[in-house]
Each structure stands twice: as structure tokens, then as C-alpha cells.
């Protein structure tokens, strides 16, 4: 399920934190100030780790502000990114019965966005817009019936008369 929520370009498999970095994160970031009380060991998933647990903070925003504050002081600050997300793993029988899926912390590598390629993306976007424009106009330009109607309406517009383009 993680694969469907987090595309391969954001998971960056092979760049996820190591087990040692996760243990440092657990002690430096989560345990410090009781920011996050983990309910077990971090679970390895494609692109990172999932840390289940509970927090004493009222909102996710408050939690993430505390996590970010602790992350700034940690030795792994340049090697991990932490996200507070709904549990992306498949639903278990126990969760179906209880109807509860608490949020978890997803710990990934430092880069979770696609590498920028502005020139390539600009060329592709320009090509797409040109193709759409071309395909929108060509059927009318090649159709004699519509060209005749358009010429008549242009002649009316040139004569300062009301043109009707509802054909």
C-alpha cells in the first residue's frame, strides 16, 4: 500500500535511512521530551521506516513542530525526513473490528522530491500546449462547411454587424 501512496520517485528506495540512523532518530528526536512514544520497533518499508506510537500533543502540527525542533539538534538531521501520515500499511483484522487507524511517523531519506529538470519539463509542457492548440483548430480549418460559416461571420463582423459564432 505504501507503493500506491508514495510514488517511487518520492520513496527513493536505496536512499532510505539505515537501521543505525533510525536508532539515533529514536533517541535524539522521538524519545527526547516525550515527543513520540513508540509502541514497538521501527518497521522497514519501501523507502523508509514506519514508527507506530502515540503522542501527548493535541494536534499533528504541534507534534511536527516538536519533531522538527529536535531534528534540528540531531546528528541525523541531513540524512532523514520525518512525516506524520495516516497509516499506509494494509488494514489488519484488529483495525477493522476496532475501526481505528491512528497516524504514524514515516521516516524517509533526505530527498523525497523528484529531481528538478526545468528545461525538460518546459519543453514537454510547450510541446503539449502546442499539440492541444493544433488539435483544437485543425478540425475547423480543414472543414469546408465550418470555414464557410466562419468567413460569413467574419464578413459580418467587418461590416460592424453582430456576428453569431454558435455553429
Amino acid at each position: 500500500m505504501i507503493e500506491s501512496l508514495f510514488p517511487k520517485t518520492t520513496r527513493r528506495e536505496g536512499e532510505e535511512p539505515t537501521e543505525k540512523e533510525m536508532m539515533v532518530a529514536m533517541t535524539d528526536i522521538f524519545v527526547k521530551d516525550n515527543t513520540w512514544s513508540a509502541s514497538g520497533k521501527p518497521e522497514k518499508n519501501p523507502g523508509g521506516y514506519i514508527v507506530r506510537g502515540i503522542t501527548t500533543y493535541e494536534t499533528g502540527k504541534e507534534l511536527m513542530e516538536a519533531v522538527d525542533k529536535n531534528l534540528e539538534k540531531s546528528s541525523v538531521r541531513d540524512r532523514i525526513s520525518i512525516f506524520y501520515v495516516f497509516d499506509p500499511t494494509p488494514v489488519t483484522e484488529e483495525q477493522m473490528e476496532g475501526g481505528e487507524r491512528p497516524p504514524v511517523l514515516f521516516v524517509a531519506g533526505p530527498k523525497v522530491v523528484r529531481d528538478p529538470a526545468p528545461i525538460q519539463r518546459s519543453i514537454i509542457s510547450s510541446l503539449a500546449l502546442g499539440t492541444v492548440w493544433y488539435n483544437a483548430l485543425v478540425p475547423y480549418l480543414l472543414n469546408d462547411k465550418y470555414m464557410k460559416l466562419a468567413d460569413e461571420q467574419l464578413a459580418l463582423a467587418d461590416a460592424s454587424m453582430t456576428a453569431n459564432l454558435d455553429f
Side-chain angles (χ1 to χ4, degrees):
M1 186 136 159
I2 286 183
E3 289 87 357
S4 64
L5 292 175
F6 300 103
K8 192 171 188 159
T9 56
T10 60
R11 283 184 280 124
R12 300 223 180 224
E13 294 176 36
E15 295 181 20
E16 60 264 355
T18 63
E19 203 168 313
K20 182 180 176 187
E21 290 170 339
M22 271 308 300
M23 290 305 127
V24 170
M26 293 291 287
T27 56
D28 286 359
I29 301 165
F30 306 140
V31 176
K32 192 176 185 179
D33 305 333
N34 290 326
T35 306
W36 182 261
S37 299
S39 60
K41 292 180 100 177
E43 299 173 21
K44 179 86 170 94
N45 281 288
Y49 288 85
I50 288 182
V51 183
R52 298 178 194 286
I54 58 171
T55 183
T56 56
Y57 293 97
E58 293 292 319
T59 65
K61 182 178 180 183
E62 292 174 357
L63 169 66
M64 289 312 295
E65 286 173 354
V67 166
D68 287 342
K69 181 179 160 192
N70 291 341
L71 181 61
E72 287 176 10
K73 300 173 189 168
S74 176
S75 61
V76 293
R77 68 180 164 269
D78 296 329
R79 293 178 285 195
I80 64 170
S81 297
I82 303 170
F83 304 95
Y84 186 59
V85 298
F86 288 108
D87 193 347
T89 57
V91 180
T92 63
E93 294 282 335
E94 184 180 296
Q95 291 171 335
M96 281 185 172
E97 290 172 9
E100 190 174 312
R101 295 224 355 131
V104 296
L105 292 176
F106 181 64
V107 182
K111 293 173 66 178
V112 291
V113 295
R114 197 183 310 200
D115 290 326
I119 294 173
Q120 178 187 10
R121 297 194 195 295
S122 297
I123 291 170
I124 290 171
S125 295
S126 299
L127 185 62
L129 286 173
T131 302
V132 167
W133 178 79
Y134 177 79
N135 286 328
L137 292 179
V138 166
Y140 290 103
L141 296 175
L142 296 178
N143 190 322
D144 291 335
K145 176 184 169 189
Y146 287 121
M147 282 305 294
K148 182 179 176 190
L149 290 170
D151 286 338
E152 288 174 4
Q153 297 306 316
L154 283 173
L156 289 174
D158 285 342
S160 298
M161 298 174 75
T162 305
N164 182 8
L165 298 177
D166 290 340
F167 49 87

